[in-house]
Amino acid sequence: MAETPLPTDPPADTAATPVLPPLAEQAEHLVGLGLLPAGGTLDADAVRRAARDLAAAAPTGSLLVVHPRHLPPSLLAAHLRRSVRTRGGIVERPGFVVEDMTDVDEFAPVDGLDVPDVDVWAVRAPDRGDDLADASPEEAAAAIAARARTPLTLAEGVHWVLQAPGVLEPNRCFMTIGSRLRRADGTFDARTPALWISGGTGRDGTERRGAAKIGWCWWRNRHTWLGFASTAGRVAR
């Protein structure tokens, strides 16, 4: 039996995701993490200036991204905060990278992706890709391309959750297939990065239940609860 082709246009009733604050506010949030020291290769004032310049060209709802050479996913992971209801009340849990992804920062943009080689850029109209859930990454890549969009990289996905924690919802999370790990022989590792909510089972530990989680799935596997994040384009200074 032939497979049903994936839609080339997102449905009109795609679930709304949290609205991103203005780029200047996103810059202040990044600065507030204390990860951009004065005198570094990229300091707080440089990020503020970049956000101000990008605001003149990037549409409302764009996402501010700092290049992972300055803020790698492994560094930002613990700053992905989610409020979780427990028996003792509401607690704020930090995010984390799964234990078997020690090479998380080596996942780089795939060939042909229009990621600017600049310190700071803006991602236009990020979308979680809920309607592509239950597709494999391989299938979703073709559907995203047919929509004249490109998949988010892992670094972009991490920034999105950092700025809008509510973008991760139970049964509505996403993969970032714009990043993959290339082996020494030139082929791709079959793991594909994703962000979702920990169930607190297995090696995650119950103390991480409800936390934002950076993990991976296989390139040809399908998951009903993972969409495929994409963008309408990127804006550089």
Side-chain angles (χ1 to χ4, degrees):
M1 180 181 296
E3 294 184 358
T4 302
L6 294 171
T8 56
D9 294 299
D13 61 349
T14 296
T17 51
V19 176
L20 284 162
L23 295 180
E25 291 184 25
Q26 295 181 48
E28 290 305 322
H29 182 46
L30 289 172
V31 169
L33 299 179
L35 303 176
L36 297 165
T41 54
L42 182 73
D43 62 18
D45 286 339
V47 172
R48 291 185 177 109
R49 287 194 301 271
R52 183 176 62 248
D53 293 344
L54 288 167
T60 300
S62 293
L63 170 69
L64 190 71
V65 178
V66 171
H67 198 288
R69 62 177 166 249
H70 303 293
L71 296 179
S74 62
L75 181 64
L76 291 178
H79 298 277
L80 304 180
R81 305 286 177 164
R82 292 192 77 254
S83 295
V84 180
R85 185 180 299 278
T86 68
R87 291 181 179 179
I90 302 296
V91 298
E92 191 176 66
R93 290 198 165 144
F96 65 100
V97 181
V98 295
E99 292 184 9
D100 57 356
M101 203 175 181
T102 56
D103 51 3
V104 62
D105 294 333
E106 296 176 29
F107 283 73
V110 298
D111 295 341
L113 210 62
D114 59 337
V115 178
D117 186 19
V118 295
D119 291 329
V120 185
W121 67 91
V123 169
R124 295 171 44 225
D127 179 79
R128 197 167 53 191
D130 294 348
D131 66 301
L132 296 176
D134 209 25
S136 69
E138 185 176 38
E139 295 163 338
I144 290 170
R147 298 174 181 181
R149 296 175 64 89
T150 59
L152 289 195
T153 65
L154 174 59
E156 291 169 339
V158 170
H159 275 79
W160 196 11
V161 177
L162 183 73
Q163 297 290 352
V167 75
L168 291 185
E169 300 179 272
N171 299 315
R172 289 185 182 274
C173 300
F174 61 89
M175 299 188 71
T176 54
I177 62 175
S179 292
R180 296 193 69 185
L181 177 63
R182 193 177 290 278
R183 301 188 185 101
D185 64 3
T187 62
F188 282 121
D189 188 289
R191 293 172 298 162
T192 312
L195 291 106
W196 70 92
I197 300 169
S198 173
T201 59
R203 287 183 292 180
D204 289 2
T206 56
E207 71 280 2
R208 286 173 166 170
R209 185 186 303 274
K213 172 178 178 175
I214 300 175
W216 57 270
C217 300
W218 299 117
W219 177 250
R220 290 191 172 91
N221 281 12
R222 300 183 178 96
H223 298 278
T224 58
W225 43 277
L226 285 174
F228 293 86
S230 67
T231 173
R234 298 169 177 86
V235 181
R237 296 172 60 192

